Amino acid sequence: SAAGNDRFSDEGNLKATSINVSNGGTCAVGSDSGVVNVYEGGAGAGAPKKAIMNLTTKIDRLCFNQAGSILAMSSSMKRDSLRLVH
């Protein structure tokens, strides 16, 4: 699209609060409800490969490791709200 204004729809997400893309193109999108949707081949590439519902508060940060095989997700709204997903 023009000027880098790409858009996509994140299934079931009303308010996206964080997004991260791995070196391999896997995309994770966090929501204000604590759900993280993981897409293969970039966001909006159909239905999410995985929906992670381990946290119940707003996802502030998402980060893949260098290999793209581990996703860290966290919420600052609640103490000790950090999860690692393989």
Side-chain angles (χ1 to χ4, degrees), residues 27-75:
C27 180
V29 181
S31 72
D32 62 343
S33 64
V35 175
V36 176
N37 285 332
V38 180
Y39 296 89
E40 288 293 330
K49 175 184 175 186
K50 186 184 293 187
I52 305 165
M53 299 177 215
N54 290 356
L55 298 177
T56 57
T57 55
K58 177 180 81 168
I59 303 297
D60 295 316
R61 295 207 169 124
L62 294 168
C63 185
F64 285 98
N65 71 333
Q66 190 171 5
S69 59
I70 299 173
L71 172 65
M73 53 188 187
S74 68
S75 174

Side-chain angles (χ1 to χ4, degrees), residues 1-4 10-11 21-22 28 34 37 42 44 52 65 68-69 76 83 85:
S1 74
D10 181 25
E11 186 175 295
V21 180
S22 74
N37 285 332
I52 305 165
N65 71 333
S69 59
S76 63
R83 299 293 185 272
V85 181

